[in-house]
Each structure stands twice: as C-alpha cells, then as structure tokens.
C-alpha cells in the first residue's frame, strides 16, 4: 500500500518570501504521479502542480515548483514570492500509474503573513 | 461549467441514525471518488467508481457504509447506522478517464455524529 507523509502540520511565511513544504511517500512502484493540492479556507480543493515520476525534470507552475527526488521518495513544494492568497491547506497526493486511486497526506496548513 | 457539488454541506445526526450524502460529479467524468478527512488527519480514500462500477472499495471502513452510483451519474454514500467515529468531512472528486488527470473536488460534507 502506498502512504504519503507530510511532516509539517503547520507552517507560516512572510509575504513575498519563499517557503518549502515537504512530502515523502512510500511505494514499490516505479511509475506514478504526484500532486500538490491546495484547499483555501472554506473553498474547494484545487490542483496546484503535478509531476510524472518518469520525468526527471521538476515541474513548475509560475511561483510554484517542486523538488522531486525519486530515489529518496521525496516531493517537496516550493512557493516563491508568497502571497496572502496562498494561505491554505496543502495536500500532497500520490497516484499509481495502473489505476486512478489517489492517496493523500495529512496536509500542511500554510499561513502567509503580511 | 458546473463543478463537483455535494449535498448537504453540513449534517448533524445522532448516533444510530442514517445519513445519505450526495455527490454530483462534473458531467462526462467517468471517475468518481469518495474520501474522508477526520480532523487533523490525512484524507483517506474510501472508494472509486468508474461509471457505475465500483473499481476499488478497499477504503470503506465497514459494512455500515454503502455507496452507489446509479447510471454512472451522481453518487450517494449512506451511513447506517452512524457511529461517533464517522464524524469528519466527506469529499467527493471526479476526473476524466486516463492516468494522472486532475481530480476536481467538491466542497465536502461535514458530518457530525453526536
């Protein structure tokens, strides 16, 4: 069974600074997908960024980038130039290649301070 | 285009009662998932439908939980009889067929069993 671990229940960052959220996972599979989802307060969860395990290049989406270390089974999310609107719960998720069953971590509550 | 919608948004019931949660996925999405998040813990997978068929229900905690997806459209999740430990936020998500596709989430149903 795949498990996803987010070891930081809460984090905070000053506006305009950079923050990194950590995620590790456990799997015996070689190919899979990894995601970061964001859930703003009282709003729906939305996709932030995704990474295919077979791609060595780290995914980036504007201010969001990942550091994917396949051997270490680590998938951290870096948010640059943090904005107040980045305040949210962030969930790391794993999806095996052979089906669509995603597994999530416990989440990290990020607060961006003005 | 309408997103994933869930009803009700909140439900408070007494132990032993029955509750039915509903999820309307995005039209055309074959995949439908149910997840549950207990306060402070990870989002746990409950089950996965592909159209009207249960692809994986390994996350269903016990036989008090029954999920259906009539005609491959909306889905219901019934808890009967409810227990205190069933409290949490129940999320529904849908996605198109295919690997690594983005899952779209509903806002969740907060269930409180007292």
């Amino acid at each position: 069974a795949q498990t996803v671990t987010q070891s930081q229940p809460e984090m905070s960052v000053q506006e305009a600074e950079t923050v990194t959220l950590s995620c590790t996972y456990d799997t015996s599979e070689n190919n899979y997908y990894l995601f970061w989802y964001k859930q703003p307060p009282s709003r729906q969860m939305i996709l932030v960024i995704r990474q295919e395990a077979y791609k060595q290049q780290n995914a980036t989406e504007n201010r969001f980038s990942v550091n994917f270390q396949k051997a270490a089974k680590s998938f951290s999310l870096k948010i640059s130039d943090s904005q107040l609107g980045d305040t949210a719960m962030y969930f790391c998720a794993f999806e095996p290649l052979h089906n669509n069953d995603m597994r999530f971590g416990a989440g990290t509550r990020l607060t961006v301070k003005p | 285009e309408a997103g994933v919608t869930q009803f009700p948004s909140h439900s408070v019931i007494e132990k032993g009662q029955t509750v039915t949660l509903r999820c309307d996925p995005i039209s055309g999405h074959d995949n439908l998932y149910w997840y549950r998040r207990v306060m402070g813990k990870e989002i746990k997978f409950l089950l996965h439908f592909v159209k009207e068929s249960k692809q994986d229900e390994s996350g269903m905690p016990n036989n008090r939980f029954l999920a259906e997806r009539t005609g491959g459209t909306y889905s219901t999740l019934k808890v009967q009889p409810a227990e205190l430990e069933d409290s949490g936020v129940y999320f529904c998500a849908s996605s198109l067929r295919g690997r690594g596709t983005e899952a779209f989430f509903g806002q969740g149903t907060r269930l409180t069993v007292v």
Side-chain angles (χ1 to χ4, degrees):
Chain A
Q2 294 90 5
T3 58
V4 179
T5 302
Q6 292 179 249
S7 58
Q8 305 150 313
E10 293 190 29
M11 293 190 72
S12 64
V13 63
Q14 291 296 131
E15 195 175 7
E17 294 189 345
T18 295
V19 64
T20 298
L21 310 183
S22 65
C23 172
T24 59
Y25 56 94
D26 183 24
T27 183
S28 58
E29 305 204 10
N30 189 46
N31 289 320
Y32 44 86
Y33 296 94
L34 294 162
F35 304 84
W36 278 97
Y37 278 87
K38 163 186 175 181
Q39 186 181 25
S42 302
R43 297 188 63 184
Q44 287 160 296
M45 199 147 53
I46 56 174
L47 180 67
V48 175
I49 198 166
R50 64 191 286 274
Q51 172 85 39
E52 293 97 335
Y54 53 87
K55 288 187 178 179
Q56 291 187 337
Q57 186 172 10
N58 288 325
T60 63
E61 285 288 340
N62 301 314
R63 297 182 296 106
F64 298 87
S65 62
V66 298
N67 182 6
F68 174 47
Q69 301 290 328
K70 191 173 183 180
K73 297 180 182 174
S74 170
F75 184 61
S76 60
L77 174 70
K78 185 171 83 172
I79 306 174
S80 304
D81 185 26
S82 297
Q83 300 176 0
L84 297 179
D86 296 333
T87 292
M89 280 291 292
Y90 286 81
F91 294 96
C92 178
F94 169 99
E95 181 183 297
L97 200 65
H98 62 275
N99 62 44
N100 293 96
D101 295 336
M102 267 196 295
R103 300 293 190 264
F104 287 84
T108 296
R109 183 177 302 280
L110 176 67
T111 302
V112 180
K113 298 179 178 179
Chain B
E1 179 182 345
V4 177
T5 54
Q6 291 186 245
F7 304 96
S9 56
H10 294 87
S11 180
V12 181
I13 62 171
E14 292 184 351
K15 176 182 173 181
Q17 289 186 322
T18 297
V19 62
T20 300
L21 314 181
R22 173 168 169 147
C23 169
D24 286 72
I26 292 174
S27 177
H29 282 192
D30 286 347
N31 292 296
L32 187 148
Y33 309 83
W34 283 99
Y35 295 90
R36 176 173 71 177
R37 184 165 191 247
V38 173
M39 183 66 73
K41 297 193 176 180
E42 72 270 23
I43 297 174
K44 282 201 166 182
F45 167 80
L46 296 178
L47 87 159
H48 169 210
F49 284 99
V50 176
K51 297 185 179 179
E52 67 276 9
S53 299
K54 291 177 185 175
Q55 183 79 8
D56 181 351
E57 51 183 332
S58 61
M60 295 286 263
N62 51 59
N63 59 10
R64 295 185 294 103
F65 288 73
L66 175 64
E68 295 179 325
R69 190 181 182 192
T70 306
T73 56
Y74 71 91
S75 175
T76 58
L77 179 65
K78 181 192 290 188
V79 185
Q80 179 184 30
E83 297 289 344
L84 299 179
E85 64 264 26
D86 300 333
S87 295
V89 180
Y90 290 77
F91 292 102
C92 174
S94 72
S95 69
L96 291 168
R97 283 192 76 84
R99 305 293 177 246
T101 53
E102 179 179 357
F104 295 84
F105 284 79
Q107 284 195 297
T109 293
R110 182 176 295 280
L111 174 65
T112 303
V113 182
V114 296

